[in-house]
Amino acid sequence: METEKKPCKSSSSSSDGEKVKKSLGWMEWLRGWMYVIYEFLFQRITASHLENPMELPPLNHLTCIVTGSTSGIGLEMARQLAHFGAHVVMAVRNPKGANDLIQKWQNELSGTGILLNIEVMQVDLLSLDSVAEFAEAWNARSAPLHVLINNAGIFMLGEPQKFSKDGYEQHLQVNHLAPALLSVLLLPSLLRGSPSRIVNVNSVMHYIGFVDPDDMNVTSGKREFSSLVGYSSSKLAQIMFSSVLQKRVPAEAGISITCVSPGIVDTNVARDLPGIVQTAYHLIPYFILSATEGARSALFAATDPQIQEYCEMLKADEWPTCAFISHDCRPTNPSEEAHNLETSFKVWEKTLELIGLPSDAVERLIEGEEVKCRYGTHTD
């Protein structure tokens, strides 16, 4: 794995007397869209060196939780991890659908002697109570967790602004707040599985995202909401939070945090697109990766032995962001805005407030102390 870091100029936050930044500048916005378009046009070429499906090492020693694993790239991750021997926990809203998939996969292996080690646990990311209950149930096993893949996400293109029962804009909750809560609450189990990993399935669309820590719900009127604003901002917030989490977790804990871009993938996200856009989307299959191809970067981040070393190097060098792996399984830089440390720490603090965790939750969980949050009590 190449581990060279590309320098990226940090986007300075406002200081006394400066105008508070309310959105991306037009040059930043244009550069972001150029990156998105470049990836769309050339992602298949730049990833042509990768096998499809990706060959994985034996994983019999790993326990992996994969959210949103009944469709798209999450389904492919769960299937491939289990095929190579991992104990896979499908964390899903629809347990029946997950169990049907497991039965189908096992039937396909009939006569081979291979028994898949997969189980299903229910979680609904639109309910932070459900997320907390899932984490509490898993931690209660006192079992090690080696890989958490926060894969589940939504992009309701063209839909009006919608809120969860917890009161948060739905893109923000599903793509950022719920994975953040799950990641922090599962730290005790990740410690038991150390060296362990948190892999966040992110998006190239974060390059056009902007996060206002004081208006993460996009309800103040400072910015007009659109589904594109909601999605891209939630993905940028995830990178910012992950970058601070990587700094707050001590090196000796052995927990690495990585964000990955799957590329532009033909998944169930398309079901939320307008009919005419869906038609165009499926008329250009050459440019769009399949779910199997889109799963490769997350599988690489979850299993490649050099990822841990790369994350440790970034941490030692006090690099401003967490590791970011592109669709072609190479380390790359997230957006310029993601390098804004001041904003990242504000996003960190605001996120903990929104998910009901104290500011020292990570440190206390690492030390095995009890942490109370709005959605339950969790101990090591």
Side-chain angles (χ1 to χ4, degrees):
M1 184 182 85
E2 299 174 12
T3 57
E4 180 181 355
K5 296 174 297 183
K6 304 172 186 176
C8 181
K9 181 180 177 183
S10 176
S11 174
S12 321
S13 295
S14 59
S15 58
D16 293 341
E18 291 183 352
K19 186 177 181 180
V20 175
K21 188 172 182 178
K22 295 182 179 179
S23 63
L24 289 182
W26 72 270
M27 283 295 292
E28 295 170 296
W29 182 82
L30 182 60
R31 282 198 300 269
W33 271 112
M34 288 176 66
Y35 195 97
V36 172
I37 293 168
Y38 175 86
E39 180 151 321
F40 172 75
L41 293 176
F42 298 105
Q43 65 177 3
R44 187 168 294 282
I45 295 172
T46 54
S48 61
H49 64 288
L50 298 176
E51 294 178 326
N52 186 41
M54 178 177 283
E55 187 72 17
L56 301 179
L59 303 174
N60 305 72
H61 61 295
L62 294 185
T63 294
C64 309
I65 292 176
V66 185
T67 66
S69 43
T70 54
S71 64
I73 61 177
L75 180 155
E76 285 298 324
M77 290 175 208
R79 184 180 66 81
Q80 292 184 51
L81 288 168
H83 184 79
F84 283 90
H87 170 208
V88 176
V89 180
M90 298 176 71
V92 299
R93 283 186 305 169
N94 178 11
K96 182 183 183 303
N99 282 308
D100 288 346
L101 279 172
I102 294 170
Q103 187 62 54
K104 175 186 174 184
W105 296 338
Q106 194 62 68
N107 290 342
E108 291 171 350
L109 294 171
S110 178
T112 65
I114 299 174
L115 293 176
L116 300 177
N117 186 6
I118 315 181
E119 64 173 301
V120 177
M121 293 180 67
Q122 188 169 23
V123 65
D124 181 2
L125 300 192
L126 279 170
S127 165
L128 294 181
D129 281 325
S130 175
V131 174
E133 289 164 6
F134 176 94
E136 190 167 17
W138 179 263
N139 285 334
R141 298 186 182 191
S142 296
L145 174 61
H146 303 99
V147 181
L148 168 63
I149 302 181
N150 288 310
N151 162 72
I154 58 171
F155 184 12
M156 300 183 292
L157 189 60
E159 292 290 318
Q161 191 171 24
K162 296 179 182 178
F163 297 88
S164 70
K165 69 176 185 179
D166 299 304
Y168 303 128
E169 194 276 316
Q170 289 190 4
H171 292 93
L172 175 69
Q173 176 149 335
V174 173
N175 299 342
H176 171 50
L177 296 180
L181 180 62
L182 188 61
S183 298
V184 174
L185 293 183
L186 287 177
L187 284 174
S189 293
L190 288 161
L191 273 173
R192 295 187 193 100
S194 178
S196 54
R197 310 178 186 198
I198 298 172
V199 178
N200 296 313
V201 178
N202 203 262
S203 171
V204 67
M205 298 301 290
H206 88 271
Y207 282 92
I208 58 171
F210 176 80
V211 182
D212 181 348
D214 296 321
D215 186 30
M216 293 180 71
N217 255 351
V218 195
T219 54
S220 69
K222 290 187 287 184
R223 287 189 296 162
E224 182 178 352
F225 177 84
S226 70
S227 53
L228 185 60
V229 166
Y231 181 75
S232 60
S233 299
S234 67
K235 290 299 185 179
L236 176 59
Q238 183 181 63
I239 296 175
M240 289 178 158
F241 184 88
S242 300
S243 298
V244 179
L245 179 60
Q246 178 70 33
K247 297 177 187 302
R248 299 295 284 266
V249 174
E252 57 270 21
I255 302 172
S256 62
I257 296 98
T258 308
C259 290
V260 304
S261 170
I264 298 171
V265 185
D266 185 5
T267 71
N268 275 356
V269 166
R271 71 189 172 194
D272 297 319
L273 304 179
I276 189 169
V277 179
Q278 285 192 48
T279 302
Y281 195 80
H282 294 293
L283 284 175
I284 45 178
Y286 171 79
F287 296 101
I288 297 176
L289 301 181
S290 68
T292 308
E293 292 168 317
R296 292 179 299 198
S297 57
L299 290 171
F300 174 80
T303 63
D304 189 272
Q306 294 183 75
I307 287 291
Q308 197 88 21
E309 178 185 343
Y310 181 58
C311 291
E312 289 172 1
M313 183 184 75
L314 295 182
K315 190 179 184 73
D317 289 352
E318 298 184 351
W319 193 245
T321 71
C322 65
F324 189 82
I325 305 298
S326 64
H327 70 281
D328 56 353
C329 299
R330 291 190 174 101
T332 190
N333 255 323
S335 69
E336 180 177 335
E337 191 65 19
H339 287 69
N340 188 328
L341 269 179
E342 184 174 340
T343 301
S344 293
F345 277 103
K346 289 179 180 178
V347 168
W348 168 267
E349 292 166 359
K350 188 64 177 181
T351 298
L352 290 179
E353 177 188 328
L354 295 178
I355 60 179
L357 287 173
S359 59
D360 60 350
V362 169
E363 290 78 8
R364 289 167 58 185
L365 285 168
I366 292 291
E367 292 297 323
E369 298 178 18
E370 179 180 294
V371 169
K372 296 182 183 296
C373 92
R374 191 181 312 149
Y375 303 96
T377 302
H378 299 268
T379 60
D380 188 2

